[in-house]
Amino acid sequence: MKLTALLASSIFAASLACAAEFTVEKTATGGAVVKVDGQVFAEYVVDQANKPYLWPIYGPTGKSMTRSYPMKNVEGEKQDHPHHRGLNFGHESIGGYDTWAEAASFGKNPKTSERLKHLGAIKHREFKELTGGKSGVIYALSDYVDPEGKVIITEERSLTFHADGETRTIDVDIDLIASQGTVTVDDKKDAGLSIRVPHSMSVDAKQGGKIINSEGHQDADSWGKRAKWCDFHGPVEGEHLGIAMLNHPSSFRHPTPWHARTYGLFTANPFGLSQLKLQTESGALELKEGERIKLRHRFIFHKGDEKAGKIAEAYEAYAKETR
């Protein structure tokens, strides 16, 4: 099913957003801001890096649910991996070019000069839809380009926002389309749909943060494991809050492997089968002209741990939807 059809079925529970009113408007810098009942929920930023991303994102209690760096310096935050911007998608090698990292990722290390030569970008082209109401929708088209601006593939991205008193939800539906001919999508560890959680929530902060997935793997043991969902929860500004990412059964290579790190990175990566040590043979694939990879995920920003957030139940409802 193409994204244009998905937009018509984006409301997954009528009661979820009954009390919320959304507005979605363009920003002065070419992105879009989503507000719920007049308050910012999330901003789609298109002009600050080599890929678009969502930042900030505010959870159900009004707390910021991603690390602020590198967009903003906050005392006490870890300032590593500057390409871990909010909620984003990237891949180290599609058609030989890298949209996961950015120039600041490499510093002055001469060993990384070769990777700099292959640094690409995801260039926002246009919004096909920006709508509010009982949910918010951002539907964007982007081009993956090489350093000279030549298009490698195209992307359709639908972001659908919901809210109620207990949770806030973002559906991220991405189609990667071989619009320019056959292209190689490589087996890479650094690839997929990511969010960088607040530092206080990270396991390494030792303040009670925890990773757990649908199969019961926890913390560092969740890395490289396949699971239907994964949840990261811990303290944020005096409250115990969580972020769950759900992988829909229709998504490419479901159940997805997870590149989840105790320092706070949280990535659904169905591409890096050998680099995530799931198999010895490469998981690289040739995407023929006109073919597409369909990626379907739901983020749930919730109170408490995965049990309080009823993430297992939420996944069962999500899995029954047509995406």
Side-chain angles (χ1 to χ4, degrees):
M1 182 183 292
K2 294 185 178 181
L3 287 178
T4 49
L6 282 169
L7 295 174
S9 61
S10 60
I11 298 178
F12 64 92
S15 62
L16 185 64
C18 61
E21 186 70 21
F22 283 83
T23 60
V24 184
E25 300 175 347
K26 284 186 178 180
T27 62
T29 55
V33 61
V34 179
K35 294 181 180 179
V36 55
D37 296 332
Q39 301 298 313
V40 174
F41 180 165
E43 184 170 343
Y44 189 64
V45 181
V46 300
D47 68 326
Q48 296 298 306
N50 66 334
K51 53 183 170 289
Y53 56 91
L54 284 173
W55 183 86
I57 301 171
Y58 295 102
T61 67
K63 299 299 194 309
S64 180
M65 297 301 289
T66 68
R67 183 182 70 165
S68 295
Y69 179 80
M71 291 72 66
K72 180 181 178 181
N73 290 328
V74 174
E75 186 176 353
E77 278 193 339
K78 288 191 70 174
Q79 297 189 352
D80 55 44
H81 301 86
H83 50 280
H84 293 171
R85 292 176 180 261
L87 189 161
N88 74 84
F89 179 84
H91 195 298
E92 186 183 332
S93 182
I94 296 179
Y97 293 97
D98 184 355
T99 59
W100 172 272
E102 54 186 89
S105 308
F106 304 117
K108 297 180 180 180
N109 185 346
K111 294 181 180 180
T112 62
S113 60
E114 190 62 30
R115 281 195 66 178
L116 274 171
K117 295 177 185 177
H118 295 276
L119 193 62
I122 303 173
K123 291 290 188 182
H124 172 71
R125 189 198 313 166
E126 63 176 315
F127 291 117
K128 299 297 287 185
E129 183 175 352
L130 295 174
T131 59
K134 296 304 178 185
S135 63
V137 174
I138 296 174
Y139 180 27
L141 302 184
S142 297
D143 297 308
Y144 289 50
V145 300
D146 68 13
E148 282 71 50
K150 181 182 177 182
V151 177
I152 303 163
I153 63 168
T154 58
E155 178 198 278
E156 298 177 2
R157 184 180 305 197
S158 174
L159 307 172
T160 307
F161 302 80
H162 300 275
D164 67 9
E166 297 299 314
T167 61
R168 289 189 173 182
T169 304
I170 306 174
D171 286 343
V172 182
D173 298 329
I174 292 175
D175 279 13
L176 304 176
I177 306 161
S179 59
Q180 310 300 307
T182 299
V183 64
T184 300
V185 181
D186 282 331
D187 183 317
K188 295 293 181 182
K189 170 179 63 68
D190 290 340
L193 183 64
S194 300
I195 192 167
R196 181 68 186 256
V197 308
H199 177 63
S200 59
M201 186 187 286
S202 71
V203 178
D204 290 357
K206 300 186 184 304
Q207 298 179 37
K210 190 175 190 61
I211 304 170
I212 187 165
N213 68 24
S214 60
E215 311 311 300
H217 303 115
Q218 299 183 28
D219 299 339
D221 288 339
S222 64
W223 186 87
K225 303 297 196 307
R226 289 185 178 273
K228 296 175 289 187
W229 56 262
C230 193
D231 188 88
F232 220 130
H233 61 84
V236 181
E237 298 178 38
E239 296 182 288
H240 198 94
L241 303 173
I243 304 168
M245 197 188 323
L246 284 53
N247 180 236
H248 193 271
S250 68
S251 195
F252 176 64
R253 289 177 176 168
H254 170 86
T256 191
W258 295 89
H259 178 33
R261 295 295 200 185
T262 56
Y263 62 76
L265 178 67
F266 188 20
T267 303
N269 178 2
F271 305 101
L273 301 185
S274 67
Q275 288 206 352
L276 291 172
K277 304 187 186 306
L278 286 158
Q279 60 188 42
T280 55
E281 63 272 20
S282 173
L285 70 148
E286 296 292 315
L287 201 62
K288 294 181 172 57
E289 184 170 8
E291 291 183 341
R292 61 179 65 206
I293 292 173
K294 185 169 75 170
L295 302 169
R296 301 291 182 264
H297 297 88
R298 173 169 291 167
F299 288 83
I300 301 177
F301 302 89
H302 60 89
K303 300 175 183 177
D305 62 13
E306 82 287 353
K307 293 184 176 64
K310 299 182 179 179
I311 300 307
E313 296 89 336
Y315 175 78
E316 293 305 317
Y318 179 52
K320 292 175 183 176
E321 296 180 21
T322 300
R323 306 300 303 176

